[in-house]
């Protein structure tokens, strides 16, 4: 039963995140994100539909109100866990995602409250993503991918895609962290890289990596 609950939570969390880029979420995209086979995902989606947690149509999957509520609870525990791991236990931001995935299913409501209080009720995870309030309120800033900025435009980094440790380590080495200002100096044609300036240094940043960085 505990394993079933954990699996349900993982699906709801993934659908919630993917809905930001695709709505509804295709089962193929969900399978790719979860690193599972399409038949396995389709079977689980049927179960979640039966529980009233998702809607499933030919276009894809989206969360019901109940599904959203549960997803935000999981995301809150996950992001608070990441904060605990970095701020208290000294983990680097590229090391915490997988560890938090384990913790999010084991934290009790009482422990969640104590973690939040001890950390000063943080508003974001180490990667800049908003942490839902206890009542499920999730305040998101208006952002867009760094890849959409034009030459000579500036932006403040708000968040970075957190599930690729190698990319996080690379971006940290460039000083590209939340709240850091980045200026696009050049945009190469034909899908070429962006030349960006961070802290007085210039770097060539591929479009795919730039698309994973949200700025305001």
């Amino acid at each position: 039963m505990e394993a079933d609950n954990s699996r349900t939570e993982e699906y709801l969390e993934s659908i919630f995140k993917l809905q930001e880029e695709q709505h509804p979420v295709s089962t193929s995209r969900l399978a790719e994100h979860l690193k599972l086979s399409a038949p396995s995902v389709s079977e689980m989606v049927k179960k979640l539909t039966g529980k009233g947690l998702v809607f499933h149509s030919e276009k894809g999957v989206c969360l019901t109100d109940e599904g959203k509520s549960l997803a935000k609870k999981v995301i809150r525990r996950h992001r608070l866990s990441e904060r605990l791991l970095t701020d208290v236990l000294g983990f680097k931001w590229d090391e915490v995602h997988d560890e938090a995935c384990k913790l999010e299913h084991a934290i009790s409501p009482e422990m969640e409250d104590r973690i939040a209080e001890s950390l000063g009720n943080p508003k974001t995870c180490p990667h800049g993503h908003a942490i839902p309030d206890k009542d499920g309120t999730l305040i998101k800033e208006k952002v867009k991918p760094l890849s959409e900025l034009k030459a000579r435009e500036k932006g403040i980094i708000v968040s970075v895609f957190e599930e690729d440790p190698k990319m996080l380590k690379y971006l940290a080495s460039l000083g590209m962290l939340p709240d850091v200002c980045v200026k696009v100096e050049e945009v190469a044609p034909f899908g070429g890289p962006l030349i960006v300036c961070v802290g007085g240094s210039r770097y060539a940043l591929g479009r795919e990596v730039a698309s994973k960085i949200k700025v305001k």
Side-chain angles (χ1 to χ4, degrees):
M1 183 64 74
E2 204 169 299
D4 287 344
N5 288 339
S6 295
R7 197 155 68 111
T8 294
E9 290 177 347
E10 287 169 5
Y11 269 80
L12 297 179
E13 181 182 15
S14 294
I15 294 168
F16 187 91
K17 289 180 178 180
L18 293 174
Q19 280 186 165
E20 295 183 3
E21 63 181 54
Q22 184 185 79
H23 193 284
V25 179
S26 68
T27 53
S28 60
R29 179 70 183 94
L30 182 58
E32 178 188 7
H33 185 263
L34 290 167
K35 297 180 175 61
L36 295 171
S37 69
S40 295
V41 169
S42 296
E43 184 63 30
M44 187 61 180
V45 166
K46 287 180 184 177
K47 291 181 180 179
L48 296 177
T49 301
K51 293 179 180 179
L53 299 175
V54 304
F55 290 119
H56 186 209
S57 67
E58 291 182 0
K59 294 182 179 179
V61 185
C62 58
L63 297 173
T64 62
D65 288 342
E66 184 180 357
K68 286 179 187 175
S69 178
L70 290 175
K72 285 190 281 190
K73 289 179 181 179
V74 181
I75 287 170
R76 174 174 169 79
R77 297 197 301 267
H78 180 98
R79 293 176 179 171
L80 283 173
S81 296
E82 290 186 328
R83 272 288 169 207
L84 176 69
L85 289 164
T86 56
D87 297 4
V88 178
L89 300 181
F91 281 76
K92 296 177 181 178
W93 79 331
D94 55 280
E95 299 172 330
V96 297
H97 177 73
D98 288 344
E99 293 295 334
C101 283
K102 301 169 189 173
L103 289 172
E104 69 189 28
H105 306 301
I107 292 174
S108 67
E110 293 77 17
M111 185 178 290
E112 176 191 314
D113 290 344
R114 291 198 179 194
I115 291 172
E117 185 178 352
S118 68
L119 294 173
N121 294 300
K123 300 300 181 185
T124 63
C125 76
H127 313 102
H129 301 284
I131 298 175
D133 290 343
K134 191 174 179 181
D135 63 4
T137 302
L138 182 61
I139 300 174
K140 296 181 180 179
E141 294 189 80
K142 188 175 181 180
V143 298
K144 61 181 177 180
L146 175 61
S147 56
E148 292 184 7
L149 293 191
K150 299 175 182 177
R152 295 183 296 281
E153 286 188 333
K154 293 181 180 180
I156 302 293
I157 297 175
V158 173
S159 63
V160 178
F161 180 73
E162 76 274 26
E163 296 179 26
D164 186 339
K166 290 181 180 178
M167 186 186 75
L168 289 174
K169 189 175 292 187
Y170 171 65
L171 292 177
S173 73
L174 304 183
M176 299 190 71
L177 307 168
D179 298 324
V180 169
C181 180
V182 56
K183 179 182 179 182
V184 176
E185 299 199 339
E186 300 176 34
V187 179
F190 308 113
L194 281 67
I195 306 300
V196 300
C197 183
V198 182
S201 299
R202 286 163 52 98
Y203 305 103
L205 205 63
R207 295 289 178 97
E208 184 177 357
V209 173
S211 71
K212 305 290 188 182
I213 302 168
K214 298 298 190 294
V215 299
K216 63 180 179 180

